[in-house]
């Protein structure tokens, strides 16, 4: 994938003493291939490479004491800029309700995202949305939205399948005003392909509802197609934002990188699974770091904050930044992580997790987590705080105490060290970022 490829390339320059113009050229060729393989639009790739190259052979890098890290920083910054730079927030109307129209092709995830967005607005912004079922072509679509409404404990407005979607949308907004909802989310019908009938209907709904947001829902797995679909919808309807779904799957990520620069429409949210809480605001900078494999610590912290004690999460963040992260923290984190839900997702956000095969194994197997916990619990307080004191005889004792093998103890110690190393790299990068001027 893109991340691995870029990582391999960047690994070569990370911390390297001196970078020559020839080095930069070789690297840019690799980055270019990686982006093309990830299904990023070729025009986007060309512009991106030109920008990075210009900066990478500029003084900023060549005169730096850590040129390797500077190149990583430049790539990171330009990736961020490519995806829009700043986070694009959801609209709030001056006079409620804020009207959001969800559009997109069939199967992209409109109905699911309607439910997820409503959940997000309530949880994070304390809002009470009304959901409107304006996909009248399949009775199942209305049922699907009603079911989501029930799960969320939120009202869903529908008029069955015999009323026109335009009428439903209009009456839905009236209803929202009467009942003082502050958001209305209209779930519209999709088609397998873009056609005139669909666009006419959506244009009429737009006309009558005057939405504050028209969010296009696209499936990230479709790569370049997602970008083309976004372009067509934007040309014909005018979009205010994109919800990129199914980023949890085996996507090549190209869509996330191309949409904004091709269509000039920001990605506002990403779908990370089928469940109702699997929607996240899109942060270009975090996505860039994630692509580069630096781990998405901020997202992890945010997740921790909604599910776990806020103070603890802050402490954890501080520890990660100051490198005073110990086995005690590691254990506490494992325990918290377990109460946070899908392990894959959480561990995937840890710095370097993408690179660490052992952690990957750890990821899928809950039983192994139990073993890790047992090993850590068999350490003395001093050992947890200063793992470097764990010599051979201590390892034997810990293995015996936890009922695990010495190899397993060794493996865990190694993992912990790797993790600390990654954190260090990451915090160095953060420091570098603060010092250097922000590009793009
Ligand atoms: P619609 O036709 O655009 O309304 O699409 P649906 O909301 O019915 O979603 C189609 C399928 O995609 C459903 O099976 C959803 O569960 C699934 N889906 C939607 N969003 C995501 C996502 O972010 N990740 C994954 N893995 N599946 C998703
Ligand atoms: Mg639907």
């Amino acid at each position: 994938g893109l991340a691995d490829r870029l990582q391999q390339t960047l690994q070569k320059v990370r911390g390297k003493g001196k970078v020559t113009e020839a080095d930069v050229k070789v690297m840019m060729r690799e980055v270019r291939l990686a982006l093309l393989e990830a299904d990023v639009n070729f025009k986007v790739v060309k512009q991106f490479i030109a920008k990075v190259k210009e900066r990478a052979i500029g003084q900023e890098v060549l005169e730096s004491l850590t040129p390797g890290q500077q190149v990583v920083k430049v790539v990171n910054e330009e990736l961020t800029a490519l995806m829009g730079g700043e986070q694009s927030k959801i609209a709030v109307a001056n006079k409620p309700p804020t009207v959001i129209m969800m559009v997109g092709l069939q199967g992209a995830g409109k109905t699911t995202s309607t439910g997820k967005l409503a959940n997000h607005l309530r949880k994070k912004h304390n809002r009470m949305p009304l959901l409107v079922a304006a996909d009248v072509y399949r009775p199942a679509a209305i049922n699907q939205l009603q079911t989501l409404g029930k799960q969320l404990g939120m009202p869903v407005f529908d008029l069955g399948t015999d009323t026109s979607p335009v009428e439903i949308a209009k009456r839905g907004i009236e209803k929202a005003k009467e009942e003082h909802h502050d958001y209305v989310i209209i779930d519209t019908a999709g088609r397998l392909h873009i056609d005139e009938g669909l666009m006419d209907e959506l244009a009429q709904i737009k006309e009558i509802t005057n939405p504050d947001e028209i969010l296009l829902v696209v499936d990230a797995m479709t790569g370049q197609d997602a970008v083309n679909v976004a372009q067509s919808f934007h040309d014909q309807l005018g979009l205010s934002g994109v919800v990129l779904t199914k980023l949890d799957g085996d996507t090549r990520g190209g869509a996330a990188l191309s949409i904004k620069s091709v269509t000039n429409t920001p990605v506002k949210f990403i779908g990370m699974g089928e469940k109702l809480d699997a929607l996240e605001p899109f942060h270009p900078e975090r996505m860039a770091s994630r692509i580069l494999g630096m781990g998405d610590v901020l997202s992890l912290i945010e997740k921790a904050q909604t599910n776990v004690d806020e103070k603890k999460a802050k402490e954890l963040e501080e520890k990660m930044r100051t490198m005073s992260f110990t086995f005690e923290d590691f254990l506490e984190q494992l325990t918290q992580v377990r109460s946070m839900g899908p392990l894959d997702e959480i561990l995937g956000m840890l710095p370097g997790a993408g690179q660490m095969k052992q952690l990957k194994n750890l990821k899928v197997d809950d039983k192994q987590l139990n073993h890790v916990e047992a090993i850590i619990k068999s350490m003395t307080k001093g050992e947890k705080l200063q793992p470097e004191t764990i010599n051979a005889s201590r390892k034997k004792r810990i293995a015996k105490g936890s009922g695990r093998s010495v190899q397993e103890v060794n493996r865990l110690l190694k993992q912990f060290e790797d993790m600390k190393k990654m954190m260090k790299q990451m915090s160095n990068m953060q420091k570098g970022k603060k010092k250097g001027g922000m590009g793009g």
Side-chain angles (χ1 to χ4, degrees):
L2 175 60
D4 292 340
R5 185 69 177 262
L6 279 180
Q7 265 170 43
Q8 275 171 23
T9 313
L10 293 171
Q11 208 81 56
K12 290 178 199 153
V13 286
R14 240 176 220 161
K16 195 176 159 187
K18 228 179 165 50
V19 175
T20 63
E21 251 186 74
D23 286 338
V24 170
K25 279 210 177 109
V26 172
M27 269 166 37
M28 289 308 115
R29 198 180 308 144
E30 286 295 314
V31 173
R32 183 172 162 273
L33 279 174
L35 291 171
L36 287 174
E37 271 175 23
D39 216 8
V40 178
N41 180 289
F42 83 93
K43 277 190 200 149
V44 175
V45 174
K46 213 171 149 194
Q47 285 169 10
F48 180 82
I49 295 295
K51 266 194 206 154
V52 174
K53 207 174 193 170
E54 191 184 320
R55 288 184 59 189
I57 57 180
Q59 300 185 336
E60 180 184 9
V61 171
L62 295 184
E63 285 178 12
S64 151
L65 290 175
T66 52
Q69 281 182 14
Q70 290 299 312
V71 174
V72 177
K73 177 174 160 258
V74 169
V75 173
N76 196 357
E77 282 174 9
E78 292 299 334
L79 278 176
T80 305
L82 189 63
M83 291 184 282
E86 300 273 296
Q87 188 204 351
S88 255
K89 298 208 166 113
I90 191 94
V92 187
N94 289 329
K95 198 166 154 267
T98 305
V99 177
I100 302 176
M101 204 177 143
M102 307 292 278
V103 303
L105 295 182
Q106 197 170 308
K110 285 180 299 303
T111 307
T112 316
S113 300
T114 300
K116 288 179 184 175
L117 184 57
N119 188 33
H120 172 85
L121 287 168
R122 181 173 61 188
K123 265 195 167 162
K124 298 280 166 109
H125 301 276
N126 235 338
R127 307 284 181 176
M128 244 313 157
L130 178 67
L131 310 184
V132 175
D135 178 359
V136 298
Y137 303 101
R138 294 172 306 145
I142 297 178
N143 294 340
Q144 188 189 350
L145 194 63
Q146 285 288 3
T147 306
L148 292 174
K150 280 208 188 82
Q151 284 173 24
L152 290 165
M154 283 191 202
V156 174
F157 180 80
D158 89 77
L159 292 171
T161 54
D162 293 335
T163 313
S164 82
V166 180
E167 182 68 17
I168 294 172
K170 184 171 155 242
R171 302 252 307 263
I173 293 176
E174 286 166 8
K175 173 111 172 155
K177 283 182 184 156
E178 272 164 36
E179 297 183 351
H180 305 290
H181 287 280
D182 40 20
Y183 272 85
V184 180
I185 313 178
I186 306 168
D187 180 29
T188 66
R191 302 272 201 285
L192 288 175
H193 305 283
I194 292 173
D195 67 37
E196 249 175 71
L198 170 69
M199 286 303 171
D200 278 351
E201 178 179 305
L202 295 175
Q204 285 178 47
I205 297 179
K206 176 184 175 183
E207 173 87 26
I208 208 148
T209 60
N210 190 25
D212 302 284
E213 286 268 11
I214 303 182
L215 293 182
L216 173 75
V217 180
V218 279
D219 179 342
M221 310 254 271
T222 59
Q224 298 249 11
D225 274 347
V227 182
N228 295 334
V229 166
Q231 186 71 69
S232 306
F233 270 84
H234 190 50
D235 289 346
Q236 297 183 56
L237 208 59
L239 300 171
S240 61
V242 169
V243 179
L244 199 55
T245 62
K246 309 184 192 182
L247 265 175
D248 52 309
D250 189 21
T251 98
R252 289 180 288 168
L257 288 174
S258 322
I259 281 184
K260 165 73 184 172
S261 55
V262 173
T263 68
N264 204 23
T265 308
V267 176
K268 292 201 170 174
F269 290 95
I270 50 177
M272 299 296 294
E274 300 193 65
K275 296 214 179 105
L276 280 166
D277 61 0
L279 185 79
E280 297 172 13
F282 181 71
H283 296 279
E285 189 171 354
R286 294 185 199 175
M287 180 60 96
S289 308
R290 197 184 271 188
I291 287 169
L292 285 171
M294 298 311 289
D296 195 348
V297 174
L298 287 174
S299 286
L300 177 67
I301 302 298
E302 211 167 64
K303 190 138 201 152
Q305 275 171 343
T306 52
N307 294 286
V308 194
D309 190 276
E310 190 157 335
K311 193 162 153 266
K312 273 193 187 147
K314 278 259 158 56
E315 281 170 14
L316 178 62
E317 184 183 13
E318 188 53 32
K319 280 180 171 154
M320 283 182 167
R321 302 232 177 278
T322 59
M323 298 301 305
S324 54
F325 188 76
T326 68
F327 259 119
E328 293 232 281
D329 304 316
F330 189 64
L331 182 58
E332 189 176 314
Q333 207 191 341
L334 280 183
T335 323
Q336 289 188 356
V337 157
R338 280 180 166 175
S339 66
M340 274 189 231
L343 264 181
D344 285 23
E345 210 180 287
I346 305 277
L347 285 174
M349 289 181 204
L350 285 174
Q355 291 189 329
M356 289 158 65
K357 283 220 180 66
Q358 288 101 325
L359 205 55
K360 247 180 208 157
N361 296 337
L362 207 150
K363 227 156 77 162
V364 284
D365 195 345
D366 214 38
K367 210 163 63 189
Q368 263 175 311
L369 266 183
N370 284 331
H371 298 168
V372 167
E373 197 171 337
I375 294 172
I376 298 177
K377 282 192 167 151
S378 299
M379 295 176 188
T380 65
K381 187 147 181 123
E383 287 166 348
K384 280 185 222 165
L385 295 173
Q386 288 176 294
E388 59 277 11
T389 62
I390 302 176
N391 57 20
S393 73
R394 283 171 182 241
K395 280 177 192 169
K396 253 189 228 158
R397 195 208 74 241
I398 292 168
K400 210 167 163 216
S402 59
R404 311 308 317 163
S405 66
V406 172
Q407 283 100 307
E408 276 174 282
V409 175
N410 277 329
R411 203 192 309 146
L412 179 64
L413 290 170
K414 170 87 171 56
Q415 278 170 359
F416 185 74
E417 272 318 300
D418 285 349
M419 191 159 156
K420 283 187 76 162
K421 250 183 239 154
M422 281 305 298
M423 283 181 190
K424 188 162 179 195
Q425 265 180 19
M426 193 192 62
S427 71
N428 283 344
M429 271 205 43
Q430 299 284 54
K431 275 181 224 152
K433 218 182 271 166
K434 272 182 203 132
K435 260 189 256 156
M438 291 297 289

